[in-house]
Amino acid sequence: MSQAAESVDAHDALVEEFGLHIGRAMGWPRMAGRAAGLLMLSEEPMTLAQLQDALDASKGSASEMTRLLIANGTVERYKEAGQRHYVYRWRNDAWAGCLQHVVTSTTRLRELAERAREQGAGMSAMQRDRLNEMREYYQFMVSRLEPLLSEYTATRESRTVQP
């Protein structure tokens, strides 16, 4: 087997592995994990039609998966100058984007927990305890995740600044 063929086989195997493991770990459909793997390994941005073809997916499915990846902070969609179609690419700061998504989602849940605690003031002791536990959990998580994101971002920036 030629080196080029081995490279293609390794690429395809990794895309499938991402589909299985990233999809499962993130609670995503397998197709989203495959799209993530494909875009991460792609050296060039890809159109929706290219993604659709490479994933053997419908246009709707490919579109839905790219929206999911964009929402999760790993992929960006943009239009290249002079081109008609949007393209998708793996963000240079995808892992920071992914962590930012977690921080944002967790912060929203903390805000929900705070509102729920206030609204539940007249509920039973058990219900208030559960609402308080929810609020404490999300306060704890946000207080740990925000510094983690800052540390990761600073570490990443220090690596990219050095020659």
Side-chain angles (χ1 to χ4, degrees), residues 39 44-53 66 85-88:
L39 287 166
E44 298 294 326
M46 298 178 75
T47 65
L48 188 60
Q50 289 170 321
L51 282 166
Q52 186 181 340
D53 184 52
T66 55
H85 299 284
Y86 283 97
V87 292
Y88 301 86

Side-chain angles (χ1 to χ4, degrees), residues 94-162:
W95 302 115
C98 188
L99 185 52
Q100 178 62 62
H101 172 73
V102 171
V103 171
T104 300
S105 298
T106 306
T107 299
R108 288 181 184 147
L109 290 169
R110 181 194 64 195
E111 292 164 358
L112 168 65
E114 289 169 355
R115 287 191 310 275
R117 186 175 147 238
E118 291 170 11
Q119 293 171 354
M123 294 183 173
S124 73
M126 179 194 70
Q127 291 168 324
R128 287 192 318 271
D129 285 347
R130 288 180 178 172
L131 292 172
N132 283 329
E133 183 67 27
M134 178 183 175
R135 180 177 157 264
E136 289 173 14
Y137 171 78
Y138 284 112
Q139 283 181 326
F140 173 84
M141 292 301 293
V142 170
S143 73
R144 298 307 192 275
L145 288 169
E146 286 176 336
L148 186 64
L149 176 59
S150 294
E151 181 182 347
Y152 178 77
T153 302
T155 301
R156 186 177 180 282
E157 287 172 0
S158 71
R159 281 194 318 258
T160 58
V161 169
Q162 297 175 0

